[in-house]
């Protein structure tokens, strides 16, 4: 019998992309059960070309489920993932609730697929979308050159903050379109007023050097996640990682600039060879011909796109790169689906 899959959080920004991915991938699942908050129960959503009615999140909803994918806020995962696991489902969780739990593997199928096999709590965690937007390319380069340090700046899309983030950017763009705003101090802020949505500052005509919540010594939770998760996925507990997270007025696709320092000397030629053959990576790097990835072109695609590969002028062991990844696909739904497919292959 083909395994039963539950999608918890089916109506959110990531859940919506998940349903389209499940409709595009090989049809390995028996029943696909859609689960969401009681507010969304009864809605009908299309998956694999058929309408499926959403059921409310209850203990009974996990009856007979083999694999349960969770795309819900941290507190909902923290409460319900162990319940689903106790019911016998293997949980693939895309919240931050379990990522750093030593008994929960943090898996990127192109980098550490073997880790998914050992899951004492019956839970496998999916990394944060910002980590995921670069880690496939970094894993490939690490395997060749031996990674020693990452210095990263992110350019994060508003859909990282869910449908509310997309709504906030669209509403703000409507307020500023066709005006001369953005020419005087505070003019955009005054026009946007309280309509900042999930962000602390206006995001239209702006960039905001902040994502997540405040942590010690000025760091944001998002910055600390990228550091801790990169170390765990790559199996490099002492990797030096410095991150600055920035929100930009892009709907979907996170970008990152990366300064990656390695154990050995690097060449752009060898880095190009590795990146052009690594699974899940597209090398798009010919700036003289105007070829480098941008979110507007990458959105809706699966791979990690890499361009602007240069050797650091002052350090022959370091590379500079620009990386883009769709934060809702590889950054969330796609990686979760890939993990679920690894587990399904193991169960069958
Ligand atoms: C963001 N990484 O972009 C977060 C979402 N998990 O806001």
């Amino acid at each position: 019998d083909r395994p039963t899959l539950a999608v918890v959080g089916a109506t959110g920004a990531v859940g919506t992309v998940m349903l389209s991915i499940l409709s595009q991938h090989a049809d390995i699942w028996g029943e696909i059960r859609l689960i969401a908050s009681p507010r969304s129960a009864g809605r009908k959503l299309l998956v694999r070309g058929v309408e499926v009615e959403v059921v409310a999140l209850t203990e009974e909803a996990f009856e007979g489920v083999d694999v349960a994918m969770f795309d819900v806020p941290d507190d909902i995962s923290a409460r319900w993932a162990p319940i689903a696991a106790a019911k016998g489902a293997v949980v693939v969780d895309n919240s931050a609730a379990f990522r750093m739990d030593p008994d929960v593997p943090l898996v990127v199928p192109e980098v550490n697929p073997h880790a998914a096999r050992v899951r004492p709590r019956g839970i496998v965690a999916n990394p944060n979308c910002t980590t995921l937007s670069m880690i496939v390319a970094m894993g490939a380069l690490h395997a060749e050159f031996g990674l020693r340090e990452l210095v990263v700046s992110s350019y994060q899309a508003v859909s990282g903050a869910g449908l509310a983030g997309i709504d906030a950017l669209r509403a703000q763009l409507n307020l500023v379109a066709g005006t001369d705003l953005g020419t005087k101090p505070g003019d955009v802020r005054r026009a946007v007023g309280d309509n900042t949505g999930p962000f602390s500052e206006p995001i239209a005509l702006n960039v905001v050097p902040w994502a997540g919540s405040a942590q010690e010594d000025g760091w944001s939770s998002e910055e600390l996640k990228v550091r801790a998760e990169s170390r765990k996925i790559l199996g490099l507990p002492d990797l030096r990682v410095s991150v600055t997270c920035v929100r930009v007025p892009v709907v979907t696709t996170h970008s990152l600039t990366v300064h990656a320092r390695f154990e050995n000397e690097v060449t752009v030629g060898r880095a190009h060879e590795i990146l052009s053959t690594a699974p899940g990576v597209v090398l798009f790097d010919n700036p003289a011909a105007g070829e480098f990835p941008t979110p507007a072109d990458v959105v809706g695609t699966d791979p990690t796109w890499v361009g602007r590969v240069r050797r650091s002028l002052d350090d022959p062991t370091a590379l500079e790169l620009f990386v883009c990844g769709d934060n809702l696909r590889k950054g969330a739904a796609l990686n979760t689906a890939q993990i679920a497919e690894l587990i399904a292959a193991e169960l069958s």
Side-chain angles (χ1 to χ4, degrees):
D1 267 10
R2 292 192 294 173
T4 295
L5 175 71
V7 182
V8 186
T11 55
V14 175
T16 305
V17 173
M18 181 62 82
L19 300 192
S20 79
I21 286 175
L22 289 171
S23 304
Q24 293 158 351
H25 279 203
D27 191 11
I28 61 163
W29 304 104
E31 183 192 353
I32 296 183
R33 198 171 301 167
L34 307 184
I35 301 176
S37 65
R39 187 164 34 88
S40 298
R43 276 180 63 184
K44 292 201 170 80
L45 300 174
L46 207 58
V47 56
R48 297 184 296 190
V50 285
E51 282 199 328
V52 177
E53 186 168 322
V54 176
V55 300
L57 178 56
T58 61
E59 206 171 319
E60 296 70 51
F62 295 104
E63 216 66 64
V65 169
D66 298 296
V67 180
M69 309 194 296
F70 276 66
D71 275 299
V72 293
D74 296 353
D75 55 325
I76 310 283
S77 275
R79 169 156 177 230
W80 287 95
I83 293 173
K87 283 269 182 192
V90 178
V91 173
V92 186
D93 180 48
N94 189 32
S95 82
F98 302 100
R99 286 179 188 142
M100 298 318 296
D101 184 327
D103 289 330
V104 174
L106 184 64
V107 176
V108 181
E110 295 87 344
V111 182
N112 62 342
H114 51 274
R117 287 187 166 271
V118 186
R119 35 176 200 263
R121 298 191 63 180
I123 301 171
V124 179
N126 194 63
N128 178 285
C129 49
T130 310
T131 310
L132 268 173
S133 297
M134 66 160 185
I135 203 72
V136 179
M138 291 309 120
L141 292 170
H142 168 57
E144 172 77 8
F145 298 124
L147 196 57
R148 286 290 169 272
E149 181 173 14
L150 289 171
V151 182
V152 175
S153 288
S154 72
Y155 304 74
Q156 293 180 225
V158 296
S159 60
L163 294 172
I166 301 177
D167 289 345
L169 175 60
R170 291 204 173 125
Q172 291 177 28
L173 288 175
N174 279 333
L175 288 171
V176 302
T179 70
D180 68 350
L181 290 165
T183 53
K184 296 185 193 70
D187 59 359
V188 172
R189 184 180 296 280
R190 282 190 294 278
V192 167
D194 291 335
N195 301 316
T196 56
F199 309 116
S200 57
E201 317 296 328
I203 190 65
L205 307 183
N206 209 7
V207 296
V208 180
W210 190 257
S213 58
Q215 305 294 314
E216 270 179 35
D217 299 325
W219 295 98
S220 76
S221 56
E222 187 83 351
E223 290 159 351
L224 299 186
K225 284 179 192 175
V226 174
R227 175 170 178 263
E229 294 175 18
S230 297
R231 289 173 158 192
K232 183 167 175 176
I233 296 160
L234 296 170
L236 296 172
D238 300 319
L239 184 68
R240 289 166 171 252
V241 186
S242 271
V243 187
T244 302
C245 287
V246 182
R247 189 78 63 183
V248 295
V250 166
V251 175
T252 295
T253 292
H254 287 355
S255 307
L256 302 101
T257 56
V258 182
H259 169 87
R261 190 171 59 77
F262 299 92
E263 190 181 333
N264 302 306
E265 279 206 10
V266 295
T267 64
V268 169
R270 187 70 189 122
H272 271 181
E273 278 173 14
I274 292 158
L275 294 168
S276 58
T277 52
V281 178
V282 170
L283 177 70
F284 190 53
D285 191 19
N286 186 358
E291 291 183 355
F292 36 70
T294 69
D297 299 314
V298 166
V299 60
T301 70
D302 285 349
T304 302
W305 293 67
V306 185
R308 303 297 327 277
V309 181
R310 290 148 290 154
R311 187 162 86 163
S312 301
L313 290 173
D314 302 314
D315 183 352
T317 69
L319 289 170
E320 316 295 331
L321 313 102
F322 186 74
V323 183
C324 290
D326 184 318
N327 55 298
L328 300 180
R329 291 184 76 89
K330 186 59 184 174
L334 174 63
N335 200 70
T336 305
Q338 289 173 313
I339 296 170
E341 287 162 4
L342 280 181
I343 291 161
E346 185 192 315
L347 296 179
S348 63

